[in-house]
Amino acid sequence: MSARDRLVSPLIRDNPVTRQILGICSALAVTTSMTTALTMSAALVFVLCTAAALISAIRRHIPRAIRLILQITIIATLVILVDELLRAYAFALSERLSIFVGLIVTNCLVLGRAEAFAMHHPAGAAVLDGLGNALGYGLVLMVVAAIRELLGTGALFGRTVLPLAEEGGWFAPLRLMQLAPAAFFVLGLLVWAIRSARPEQVERPEHRLAPEAEP
Amino acid sequence: MSGILFDAIFADNLALSFFLGICTFLAVSQKLSTAVGLGLALIAVQGVTVPLNALIYHALLAKGAWGWAGLPEVDLTHLRIIVFIGVIAAVVQVLEMALDRFVPVLHRGLGIFLPLITVNCAILGGSLFMVERRYDIAEAAIWGIGSGIGWALAIAALAAIRERLRYADMPEGLQGLGAAFIVTGLMSLGFTAFGGLAR
């Protein structure tokens, strides 16, 4: 696999969220607005790349029996760093992200890439793989957030795009889009769209309707 | 107190309104029996770790907790993430050994799920919410058990629905993951309605 493939393939084809079902946990909660989604994506890019580089650099010295504990410790340290930085320089934003920055520790995407890739590859490749996967995750986050914020409040990044009816415009916001169920619907439809475009990703049904019998 | 319990199970359901533990939620909801097993394991772990973490947080990490040692300025709250994850990993390990020794039947049933639970964000999320909402230890115990029950209820319901859904004739791209998301969304709508009932 070339370096370019490693970076590009997790963006859509092997996207961590829609294909590998990794890291959905924290993905959905921060998608009520583009600002929170962007912050979360940036935090994940930093944690995933740095963790991949560190773990890959010491991979020959890690005893197999304690590798998971070691990986979690490294990841948790990086997450604490991000959390404290956000608290210091963007306190309002960190209040809105609530506990979800801390939950990057148990984001299966970070541990999954560390265990599956960084443990067996040199640092350069591991960072590229981490960057690709983090960007793929970020891409899904941004798409879901864009749909939910635009339809839910008529704004993008907090700036009004569709003039609201109550302020003299024409757009009546869908309040449902800001609630939890909408995140599931939007992501479900997104998965459907990606799989319609790339039929090789479709899961085979276990049962099929029998062809109509002649009466 | 009963308000916390009701909120934890329905209105603030970890899986359906905070999206916690969704990876496992979607991956292990193909069969009702395994889903119930995982749900029970989660109630047990959540019920132990949240009050334990509350105890550790109030005794060691909170601001002013070291006042008795003449260090009233020490504030170790930033260490909570790493301490909580350590406690969770340890509790899961101990629970696994204890079950193996005393209830081997249950251990064989839950076997593979217990280690999986260490990295389930519902567990860490439960402990972090406990800090954010400033629960004391009794409230934390109720919140832990309640949120565990809520999560178990949700995964059991989803698994039961997916067992029926297997025979449905759906558009190809929606098969599997896509349909699971939509069904979860509908369940989430239902649980939100329970929230209105509480207030």
Side-chain angles (χ1 to χ4, degrees):
Chain A
M1 233 163 120
S2 73
R4 192 172 157 275
D5 275 357
R6 205 156 268 150
L7 192 63
V8 173
S9 89
L11 287 187
I12 292 177
R13 202 177 68 218
D14 278 325
N15 188 287
V17 179
T18 62
R19 184 77 198 276
Q20 310 173 37
I21 325 190
L22 289 177
I24 307 175
C25 322
S26 53
L28 293 171
V30 296
T31 52
T32 46
S33 77
M34 295 281 279
T35 320
T36 47
L38 187 67
T39 318
M40 188 69 182
S41 311
L44 195 93
V45 167
F46 169 75
V47 172
L48 193 46
C49 291
T50 323
L54 287 176
I55 291 169
S56 159
I58 58 168
R59 69 186 186 282
R60 292 185 206 288
H61 307 285
I62 301 179
R64 271 198 75 74
I66 59 159
R67 68 182 194 289
L68 285 178
I69 299 178
L70 225 94
Q71 287 166 3
I72 287 192
T73 314
I74 290 176
I75 295 168
T77 313
L78 292 168
V79 171
I80 291 176
L81 211 65
V82 173
D83 198 29
E84 293 294 303
L85 279 176
L86 272 180
R87 248 166 229 286
Y89 294 107
F91 187 70
L93 204 57
S94 95
E95 288 286 286
R96 279 175 67 194
L97 283 171
S98 148
I99 63 166
F100 291 97
V101 172
L103 284 176
I104 295 180
V105 178
T106 50
N107 190 321
C108 8
L109 176 57
V110 184
L111 194 67
R113 290 327 291 177
E115 176 73 6
F117 196 89
M119 282 297 284
H120 314 289
H121 291 83
V127 169
L128 275 184
D129 176 78
L131 186 64
N133 275 287
L135 289 179
Y137 169 93
L139 192 66
V140 171
L141 234 63
M142 301 302 285
V143 171
V144 176
I147 296 174
R148 286 183 72 188
E149 193 180 1
L150 189 64
L151 297 182
T153 63
L156 285 176
F157 287 107
R159 279 200 204 103
T160 309
V161 178
L162 306 173
L164 296 182
E166 55 203 55
E167 288 158 16
W170 53 271
F171 181 70
L174 295 161
R175 286 289 312 285
L176 175 70
M177 277 293 161
Q178 289 288 299
L179 299 178
F184 290 113
F185 294 141
V186 172
L187 197 54
L189 295 176
L190 194 66
V191 169
W192 189 7
I194 290 181
R195 290 187 177 179
S196 303
R198 297 178 171 272
E200 75 273 10
Q201 292 193 2
V202 171
E203 292 171 46
R204 291 269 78 87
E206 285 171 63
H207 305 276
R208 279 197 176 283
L209 282 186
E212 299 260 343
E214 292 292 323
Chain B
M1 282 289 174
S2 67
I4 293 182
L5 187 68
F6 192 86
D7 269 1
I9 298 179
F10 296 110
D12 284 351
N13 190 291
L14 283 184
L16 298 175
S17 52
F18 292 110
F19 315 101
L20 295 180
I22 284 291
C23 306
T24 338
F25 191 76
L26 293 172
V28 196
S29 56
Q30 308 273 10
K31 267 184 68 192
L32 184 57
S33 52
T34 40
V36 169
L38 181 65
L40 289 179
L42 195 117
I43 295 176
V45 176
Q46 187 83 310
V48 176
T49 52
V50 174
L52 191 62
N53 277 335
L55 195 66
I56 292 177
Y57 182 78
H58 290 303
L60 296 177
L61 300 180
K63 191 160 199 254
W66 290 87
W68 54 270
L71 300 165
E73 289 300 304
V74 174
D75 179 6
L76 295 176
T77 43
H78 62 279
L79 286 179
R80 68 185 185 281
I81 294 171
I82 206 162
V83 169
F84 288 174
I85 197 86
V87 169
I88 291 166
V91 166
V92 170
Q93 193 80 56
V94 169
L95 203 68
E96 198 177 2
M97 288 191 289
L99 281 182
D100 191 22
R101 171 73 182 77
F102 297 110
V103 207
V105 183
L106 191 60
H107 179 251
R108 237 170 292 137
L110 298 180
I112 34 167
F113 297 125
L114 273 177
L116 236 160
I117 277 183
T118 315
V119 287
N120 189 321
C121 34
I123 304 277
L124 184 63
S127 291
L128 290 177
F129 267 129
M130 172 271 294
V131 171
E132 201 183 78
R133 297 178 178 178
R134 298 166 214 276
Y135 287 152
D136 61 28
I137 290 167
E139 286 170 334
I142 291 178
W143 160 252
I145 302 248
S147 57
I149 295 176
W151 200 88
L153 205 64
I155 194 172
L158 180 65
I161 295 176
R162 287 184 82 176
E163 279 199 354
R164 300 289 183 289
L165 220 53
R166 215 176 290 162
Y167 306 102
D169 185 27
M170 274 181 286
E172 280 211 324
L174 205 55
Q175 200 72 245
L177 187 61
F181 272 124
I182 307 259
V183 169
T184 316
L186 292 172
M187 281 172 57
S188 170
L189 269 182
F191 273 67
T192 317
F194 275 124
L197 209 141
R199 267 148 226 148

